[in-house]
Amino acid sequence: MKSLFNKAMKRFSGDGDTIASSYTSTTTTTTRYENGVPVEVITKTTTNDEPAEVITKPLTNDEPVEVLEYEVHEHEETTPVECDVEKPVEKPIAKLITKPVEKLAKKPNKKTEERDPDEPEMGHESIVGYQGERSDPASRCCPIVVADEFEKHLDLTDHDFSKVDKYARETPAKEAENTDRLSKYLTKPWNEELDKLRCIFTWITENIRYDTDAFFGGNIKHCGPEDVLKTRKAVCDGYAGLFDKLTSDAGLKVWRISGKSKGAGFKPGCNIDSRQFDHAWNGVLYKGEFLLVDSTWGAGYLNGMDFERRFEPFYFLCSPTQFIYSHYPEKPDHQYVEPKLTKEEFLDMPYVKPQFFTSGLNFVKHIGTGIEISDDKVEFEIERVHPDESKPLHATLEWEGHNEDIPVMIQRLITPGPRGGRKFKLSCTCPSKGEGEFNIFVMLEGNSGPMVSSFKLKNTGSGKNYAPFVDTYSVPFSFTIHNPIHAKLNYNDNVKFEVTIFDLPESELPSLALFLPEKSARDLQKVSIQKVTNEKDSYTYAIETCIDQKGKWGLTYHTSPTQFSFIAQYTVE
């Protein structure tokens, strides 16, 4: 039988290394908001950019779970075996970065002459909030806020924008004849600045299409807000400029930011100095908190050479501590975090997508943009806060010289992660010396979902330690196979089978058994109970037995006294 997830396919087919583009310098005059007074500002802009890229990998459906009948026989080697279970951590659990700051520290005042003219001055009471430890260069970064305006960090997780979004998407064509009229129409119904910002963001992402002809044709030219409104096409400079104009006309504290991004064509470890990775976005000061908006990436992504429209609300008022993973501004002050990250640190951070954050993921230890191994084996841990069992993790290794992806084993661990979430170990082996891409997915819809993180894997070993992992099946409970984890077992070896089941009350625990080639069964015994923080207990089952029959061995659970379904299946040679 096939495993639940046995293959993935890339949706993105563009070759970012072959994109050609031009470089245009233009001087424009715009009206901005500064200290509550509209002022005219002359700005010189250099234009070249790219939109975001999203990789989706649909996965094949698993075969139906096989249900078999068998005869129950006693076996002299079914004696329960005691096993050691890892104890839960006793250290305090760090709070999520989306929660209010725990400590406040004053930030030195910026000199007036160093301040961007479009950016509201932070002043001597600007502060940064302590966010706790994470696992990468951004772990020491804290968001900058303005002390006399700030109360708590913005959290849009459960905020309902349906009414605002519907209003924006139903805007009559006559209301979009010019920027002044459009700004008034989009903001007039709302009393809250948050709704005004959202209405403008939604209208732009719904109505402006990325100009693929200009991007791929190397003919990128500066287009002012009125031009973008007229043609309904733009690259990032046009998106950012239109958002700036519509919000500034409404008296909102918004300004334009330019820099580099990990957009279309980017791969972990590549150089972003080329013009291909130039980008533009917006900064916003909302209730004393500096937040970021990218309406280009909020509108959609490139699928090959085509623009696919897809609304991505992650890029609306994004926290600087998450935005910094993919956007690096020209001016360090526009990072809105302290301390500032260097370009080298930015490039060394994990390559992650919006769903990495929205799914509550966190690397337990920093892995950077790549891992180098010498013994063919790689494993690391990832944490998931508030996981959804219907949206499991999946991972594959794309290896040079192999047509099919190499499966990755994902094992849930008993001990919680540093933020109190569930901790998983990801393991795989490399079939040869060489390089590949390790990709992590979250299955949002059945057996398919977007890639949420990717990094390079280099193996200097020979591949002698390569061994396929055991196939596992979809079952109605959460489990981890601790041993054996490889698909092939040796005849006449003594093997200890060990499995942990999570999140079930003791009264609902299934009975586990080994189903042997000769149609007999050997029951696993419950050997330990482990308390899992804030969750139900976990239960570990084990049996130590001689692999005395050749053929297929099944790790199973009983569905009736004489029937069972597979959890995993091994081959004995």
Side-chain angles (χ1 to χ4, degrees):
M1 289 190 180
K2 299 179 182 177
S3 60
L4 177 61
F5 305 121
N6 61 359
K7 188 176 180 182
M9 300 176 61
K10 274 192 175 179
R11 182 176 183 181
F12 176 75
S13 58
D15 184 359
D17 296 332
T18 61
I19 297 175
S21 59
S22 63
Y23 202 60
T24 306
S25 179
T26 310
T27 300
T28 59
T29 301
T30 57
T31 300
R32 312 288 192 195
Y33 174 94
E34 184 176 358
N35 297 328
V37 180
V39 295
E40 186 176 69
V41 179
I42 299 177
T43 306
K44 185 175 181 180
T45 59
T46 303
T47 307
N48 198 317
D49 75 311
E50 61 191 278
E53 160 199 354
V54 173
I55 300 175
T56 303
K57 292 198 173 185
L59 304 178
T60 58
N61 290 325
D62 191 22
E63 295 179 354
V65 177
E66 184 175 0
V67 179
L68 302 176
E69 295 189 359
Y70 69 102
E71 296 180 5
V72 179
H73 297 284
E74 295 293 332
H75 193 278
E76 61 182 4
E77 297 181 1
T78 57
T79 305
V81 179
E82 293 294 329
C83 61
D84 295 327
V85 179
E86 191 176 3
K87 295 181 179 180
V89 294
E90 298 179 355
K91 295 181 179 179
I93 298 172
K95 291 189 177 181
L96 299 178
I97 62 172
T98 53
K99 291 187 177 181
V101 294
E102 297 175 347
K103 285 197 280 186
L104 301 179
K106 287 188 177 181
K107 178 182 179 298
N109 183 29
K110 297 195 303 179
K111 296 180 181 179
T112 303
E113 61 271 22
E114 296 177 350
R115 181 171 58 87
D116 189 297
D118 297 338
E119 174 192 351
E121 186 173 5
M122 288 185 284
H124 69 281
E125 292 186 338
S126 295
I127 57 176
V128 297
Y130 175 74
Q131 292 298 311
E133 292 298 325
R134 292 205 302 273
S135 58
D136 49 62
S139 63
R140 67 182 186 277
C141 292
C142 308
I144 296 174
V145 299
V146 180
D148 58 354
E149 299 179 23
F150 176 76
E151 294 182 359
K152 63 179 181 179
H153 290 296
L154 180 66
D155 184 1
L156 299 178
T157 304
D158 299 319
H159 195 92
D160 184 9
F161 284 112
S162 57
K163 184 177 180 180
V164 177
D165 291 342
K166 184 175 185 294
Y167 178 83
R169 290 173 178 137
E170 295 178 352
T171 301
K174 65 179 182 180
E175 300 294 344
E177 293 179 352
N178 57 67
T179 56
D180 180 64
R181 184 171 181 174
L182 180 59
S183 177
K184 291 178 181 178
Y185 178 82
L186 294 176
T187 59
K188 185 177 180 180
W190 321 113
N191 295 322
E192 296 292 332
E193 289 186 1
L194 180 62
D195 293 331
K196 295 179 181 181
L197 289 164
R198 175 66 174 222
C199 199
I200 293 173
F201 176 81
T202 301
W203 188 92
I204 292 176
T205 57
E206 182 74 18
N207 291 276
I208 307 303
R209 187 172 186 82
Y210 193 80
D211 194 344
T212 53
D213 292 337
F215 180 64
F216 290 109
N219 188 31
I220 297 177
K221 298 179 180 179
H222 174 75
C223 294
E226 295 293 348
D227 294 330
V228 173
L229 194 61
K230 180 179 179 181
T231 63
R232 300 295 176 94
K233 295 191 302 182
V235 291
C236 72
D237 182 64
Y239 277 93
L242 182 58
F243 186 82
D244 186 13
K245 174 66 171 150
L246 295 176
T247 53
S248 295
D249 284 352
L252 301 171
K253 301 174 184 178
V254 177
W255 53 97
R256 184 185 177 280
I257 300 173
S258 60
K260 298 287 187 176
S261 69
K262 298 177 181 179
F266 177 85
K267 290 184 179 293
C270 78
N271 192 326
I272 62 170
D273 289 337
S274 67
R275 298 170 182 174
Q276 173 189 341
F277 299 108
D278 288 355
H279 196 45
W281 57 93
N282 297 98
V284 178
L285 180 60
Y286 175 73
K287 292 188 175 181
E289 185 175 12
F290 289 89
L291 301 167
L292 290 311
V293 171
D294 190 336
S295 51
T296 312
W297 290 16
Y301 60 95
L302 285 180
N303 182 11
M305 297 184 69
D306 297 324
F307 175 72
E308 298 287 343
R309 190 181 298 281
R310 191 188 71 177
F311 184 64
E312 180 50 80
F314 175 82
Y315 295 110
F316 173 69
L317 299 182
C318 184
S319 168
T321 57
Q322 296 180 351
F323 206 75
I324 193 62
Y325 281 81
S326 55
H327 294 66
Y328 192 76
E330 290 178 1
K331 297 182 178 181
D333 282 347
H334 285 162
Q335 294 181 27
Y336 301 114
V337 295
E338 284 291 348
K340 303 294 185 290
L341 293 186
T342 65
K343 186 177 180 182
E344 290 71 26
E345 289 174 322
F346 170 73
L347 292 174
D348 189 46
M349 287 198 297
Y351 179 47
V352 296
K353 297 288 187 176
Q355 290 82 4
F356 183 87
F357 298 106
T358 57
S359 297
L361 296 176
N362 170 54
F363 290 108
V364 175
K365 293 184 179 179
H366 176 46
I367 63 173
T369 58
I371 295 177
E372 184 171 337
I373 56 176
S374 59
D375 61 353
D376 313 322
K377 302 176 183 178
V378 60
E379 64 179 40
F380 60 92
E381 296 177 355
I382 193 169
E383 179 185 17
R384 191 172 186 185
V385 180
H386 305 306
D388 185 341
E389 293 295 343
S390 66
K391 301 174 182 178
L393 293 177
H394 177 64
T396 60
L397 175 62
E398 295 181 17
W399 197 251
E400 57 184 10
H402 277 246
N403 294 328
E404 294 189 357
D405 294 344
I406 297 172
V408 173
M409 171 162 274
I410 301 178
Q411 297 167 291
R412 179 177 168 184
L413 304 180
I414 295 175
T415 56
R419 299 182 189 175
R422 295 179 184 175
K423 191 165 57 174
F424 299 85
K425 182 172 72 173
L426 283 69
S427 309
C428 73
T429 53
C430 302
S432 64
K433 180 180 180 179
E435 295 183 354
E437 291 185 20
F438 196 110
N439 300 318
I440 304 173
F441 307 84
V442 174
M443 303 294 99
L444 299 181
E445 300 176 2
N447 293 347
S448 66
M451 183 186 77
V452 298
S453 182
S454 177
F455 57 87
K456 294 179 65 176
L457 179 59
K458 181 178 181 180
N459 179 38
T460 58
S462 63
K464 66 179 181 179
N465 294 315
Y466 173 72
F469 292 108
V470 62
D471 285 342
T472 58
Y473 296 83
S474 177
V475 299
F477 51 84
S478 177
F479 69 93
T480 285
I481 299 176
H482 302 290
N483 190 66
I485 61 174
H486 294 296
K488 294 185 178 181
L489 304 179
N490 296 323
Y491 179 63
N492 273 340
D493 277 359
N494 286 320
V495 176
K496 180 180 181 180
F497 290 81
E498 188 177 359
V499 183
T500 295
I501 294 178
F502 300 91
D503 308 330
L504 288 180
E506 191 168 10
S507 60
E508 297 180 13
L509 290 173
S511 297
L512 304 186
L514 291 177
F515 182 73
L516 280 57
E518 295 179 358
K519 308 301 181 183
S520 61
R522 301 174 186 174
D523 291 337
L524 277 71
Q525 304 296 319
K526 188 192 306 177
V527 297
S528 68
I529 302 174
Q530 180 69 49
K531 187 70 176 179
V532 180
T533 304
N534 297 327
E535 296 184 13
K536 299 184 176 82
D537 297 338
S538 65
Y539 299 85
T540 300
Y541 292 76
I543 183 176
E544 188 168 354
T545 187
C546 178
I547 308 300
D548 53 4
Q549 298 178 24
K550 292 185 179 181
K552 297 292 184 180
W553 284 58
L555 177 61
T556 67
Y557 70 98
H558 288 260
T559 56
S560 75
T562 59
Q563 292 183 328
F564 64 84
S565 294
F566 280 111
I567 297 175
Q569 195 170 45
Y570 302 86
T571 299
V572 177
E573 298 178 344

